[in-house]
Amino acid sequence: MAAPCRLISRLAVVSGGGSGIGRAVCQRFASEGASVVVADRNEESAYETLELLPRDYRGQEHVTLGVDVSLRESVGQLVNTIQPPSICVNAAGITQDEFLLKMTENDFDKVIQVNLKGTFLLTQAVSMALVAAGISKGSIITVGSIVGKAGNIGQINYSASKAGVEGLTRTAAKELSRYGIRCNCVLPGFIASPMTENVPEKVINKITPFILLGRMGKPAEVADVCAFLASDDSQYITGVSIEVAGGLFIG
Ligand code: NAD
């Protein structure tokens, strides 16, 4: 079945666009007609994503830009280099797993800096650019995680960062609705990507029985939901979190 073309003439910036879920989002948005800014700390992988993007629509152009979302200056440079993007996906993220009793302050801070502060910085910069340009239509998508709700052993920093992303998204939705900007959060479950490729088989086998659909998810399945949230098909939806987890329940 051909992909719908709901994003023609839209400009989308995708942080973490060089890998996994962010890359799949770039591919899906481009196939729906958007021009995509692939933004990542790893410029080489961002370029690899760029090479995969279709350009089937008139005026459709894609670029890569290096960014470290945890640094205000870097995010400012990214947003100042492009036209105000009416779609923004915050997919950059890291893990640094350790038990609470052993977690260093540095590893706690690093994960908060990228996952939570990075989402704040990019969301703020993009919404400021849209408001300043008088563009009264926008969709900002944040990427939380099912573990932000449920908690997860060994992820004290990560689960805190992702719970924070949900709260940030709901507040941004309340403050930005008057400017026509919607903000929603996707909560992936257990998705097969470079982030999870080192999870031992033993752990995967332990988690899978708790996934109603009986398997790990694909980045493209998260991208499907991001495309819905970016498009006018979700024009009456803001301030929500959508689980994309195959019914995963971490009890
Ligand atoms: P990934 O590791 O494949 O991709 C993450 C990308 O973010 C990489 O390209 C990396 O270079 C980039 N990045 C990291 N730090 C950055 C920074 N400071 N500035 C800019 N770019 C940076 O991971 P993924 O699985 O695609 O995860 C994407 C998002 O989805 C993350 O926020 C992650 O926490 C979230 N998530 C993933 C899963 C999963 O199971 N894979 C589950 C829940 C949530």
Side-chain angles (χ1 to χ4, degrees), residues 16 18-21 40-42 67-69 91-94 114 143-145 158 162 188-191 193-196:
S19 177
I21 292 170
D40 204 290
R41 190 172 57 178
N42 184 335
V67 67
D68 182 339
V69 294
I94 58 167
V114 175
V143 181
S145 167
Y158 183 80
K162 293 302 189 179
F190 200 30
I191 309 297
S193 78
M195 184 176 271
T196 51

Side-chain angles (χ1 to χ4, degrees), residues 13 18 34 49 78-79 83 88 96 101 104 114-115 124 173 208 241-242:
V13 63
T49 297
L78 164 72
V79 175
Q83 298 291 315
C88 168
Q96 241 4 271
L101 296 180
T104 63
V114 175
N115 297 3
Q124 185 189 49
T208 310
S241 298
I242 301 183

Side-chain angles (χ1 to χ4, degrees), residues 179-212:
Y179 301 106
I181 302 170
R182 299 183 293 109
C183 304
N184 295 292
C185 188
V186 291
L187 307 180
F190 200 30
I191 309 297
S193 78
M195 184 176 271
T196 51
E197 74 190 357
N198 294 325
V199 175
E201 182 96 17
K202 201 169 77 182
V203 176
I204 294 177
N205 292 339
K206 228 171 140 182
I207 296 175
T208 310
F210 295 100
I211 304 174
L212 296 182

Side-chain angles (χ1 to χ4, degrees), residues 22-92:
R23 173 173 288 175
V25 167
C26 292
Q27 290 178 281
R28 177 62 192 254
F29 283 9
S31 73
E32 292 220 27
S35 291
V36 179
V37 179
V38 186
D40 204 290
R41 190 172 57 178
N42 184 335
E43 295 191 44
E44 219 169 283
S45 60
Y47 190 75
E48 282 168 25
T49 297
L50 184 78
E51 298 275 275
L52 299 170
L53 303 184
R55 292 169 180 77
D56 295 334
Y57 297 89
R58 192 198 298 213
Q60 193 179 22
E61 276 178 51
H62 313 298
V63 292
T64 64
L65 286 171
V67 67
D68 182 339
V69 294
S70 66
L71 302 176
R72 171 178 287 281
E73 265 181 27
S74 178
V75 172
Q77 248 172 28
L78 164 72
V79 175
N80 288 335
T81 308
I82 59 179
Q83 298 291 315
S86 67
I87 301 168
C88 168
V89 180
N90 290 275

